[in-house]
Amino acid sequence: NAGVTQTPKFRILKIGQSMTLQCAQDMNHNYMYWYRQDPGMGLKLIYYSVGAGITDKGEVPNGYNVSRSTTEDFPLRLELAAPSQTSVYFCASSYSSPTPGELFFGEGSRLTVL
Amino acid sequence: AQSVTQLGSHVSVSEGALVLLRCNYSSSVPPYLFWYVQYPNQGLQLLLKYTTGATLVKGINGFEAEFKKSETSFHLTKPSAHMSDAAEYFCAVSSGTYKYIFGTGTRLKVLA
C-alpha cells in the first residue's frame, strides 16, 4: 500500500517561475490537505478538500491554488514563485468519520525559491 | 478560534529518563487532540489521539497522554526514553470541522 505519494521530493525554482506539486493517495480518503512546514513554525494549512470538486482555503492560501478532480489526486499549484514560498510542503489525507480521524502524511516536497 | 501551545522547542533527556512534552490548547468547543511524531526527512505519523471517553490515552512506542480539561492540557509522557525516540513531536487540535491546528513542535534529544 503506497499511502500518500508526493512528487517531486526536491525542487529549486527561480523567482517568478510556476510549478505544481503532485499528491496522490490510494486509501480512498475523502479529505485531503496541503500544509507547509517552516522551522520553528509548525505546520500551516494552505488548502484542504472534503471531496472531489470541493476545495477551501486554509490559514495561508495566498500564492497557491489547488484542484480536486478525483478522489485520489490533490495537486498544489504555485504561481509566480517568491522566496517566501521556500518551505517543506506536506500533503495529507484522512477518512470520513463522526470524529476527526488520523492524518496520513506524505514524505514531503522540499522547495527552494532563489 | 483554536490554538495550540507547545512549551519548549527543544527538550533533552537522558536515555532511560522520563520524557515529558507539554501541550496546552485553546478551544471554544470540546477539542479533539492529537500527538504526531516526525523523524528526520519524513512525514508526520500519529502517536495517539483523544476524542472522547477515557482521558488517559495510550499510543504507540510506549507513549501516553492525559487530557486535563481544567488545565487545558494534553501533555505527552513516556516513562523511559530510548535513543530511537529522538524526533520532533507535534501536538494538534481539531474542533471536528476536519481542520487541524498544529503546535510549533518540540524537538526531543536523547542523551546516551
Side-chain angles (χ1 to χ4, degrees):
Chain A
N1 220 3
V4 178
T5 303
Q6 291 182 236
T7 56
K9 286 186 168 43
F10 302 94
R11 182 73 186 267
I12 298 175
L13 282 181
K14 294 182 179 178
I15 294 172
Q17 288 185 320
S18 300
M19 75 161 298
T20 299
L21 299 177
Q22 301 291 344
C23 175
Q25 55 93 7
D26 62 359
M27 297 172 283
N28 202 32
H29 286 170
N30 283 346
Y31 303 112
M32 295 190 74
Y33 308 82
W34 274 105
Y35 288 90
R36 60 176 289 172
Q37 183 181 27
D38 301 296
M41 300 295 290
L43 278 76
K44 299 294 185 185
L45 180 64
I46 306 171
Y47 271 95
Y48 69 102
S49 169
V50 299
I54 306 170
T55 62
D56 205 351
K57 296 177 181 179
E59 303 168 81
V60 290
N62 291 344
Y64 307 95
N65 275 301
V66 294
S67 60
R68 183 99 182 268
S69 57
T70 67
T71 299
E72 294 78 19
D73 300 300
F74 191 41
L76 178 71
R77 178 80 177 165
L78 281 73
E79 304 282 1
L80 299 175
S84 60
Q85 293 178 304
T86 294
S87 188
V88 181
Y89 292 84
F90 287 99
C91 180
S93 69
S94 70
Y95 45 82
S96 305
S97 70
T99 57
E102 173 183 356
L103 287 172
F104 293 81
F105 284 84
E107 293 189 344
S109 297
R110 187 176 296 274
L111 175 67
T112 301
V113 182
L114 300 175
Chain B
Q2 294 184 304
S3 65
V4 173
T5 301
Q6 290 185 241
L7 296 175
S9 57
H10 292 81
V11 171
S12 293
V13 300
S14 298
E15 192 174 20
L18 171 73
V19 176
L20 171 61
L21 304 181
R22 300 178 186 274
C23 172
N24 288 89
Y25 70 90
S26 172
S27 178
S28 57
V29 298
Y32 301 96
L33 295 159
F34 305 80
W35 275 100
Y36 285 84
V37 61
Q38 183 181 33
Y39 298 103
N41 300 314
Q42 293 186 25
L44 284 69
Q45 56 185 261
L46 183 70
L47 270 180
L48 51 80
K49 67 177 182 180
Y50 168 79
T51 53
T52 57
T55 56
L56 182 63
V57 180
K58 294 187 185 298
I60 61 172
N61 302 337
F63 284 93
E64 62 182 38
E66 186 170 10
F67 170 61
K68 291 187 176 181
K69 184 178 178 181
S70 61
E71 299 177 9
T72 61
S73 68
F74 191 57
H75 301 332
L76 182 70
T77 60
K78 181 174 180 178
S80 177
H82 191 272
M83 297 298 288
S84 60
D85 295 327
E88 190 157 20
Y89 293 80
F90 292 91
C91 183
V93 63
S94 177
S95 64
T97 59
Y98 307 107
K99 283 195 278 188
Y100 301 76
I101 304 299
F102 284 83
T104 52
T106 298
R107 189 170 297 276
L108 176 67
K109 186 175 182 179
V110 182
L111 307 171

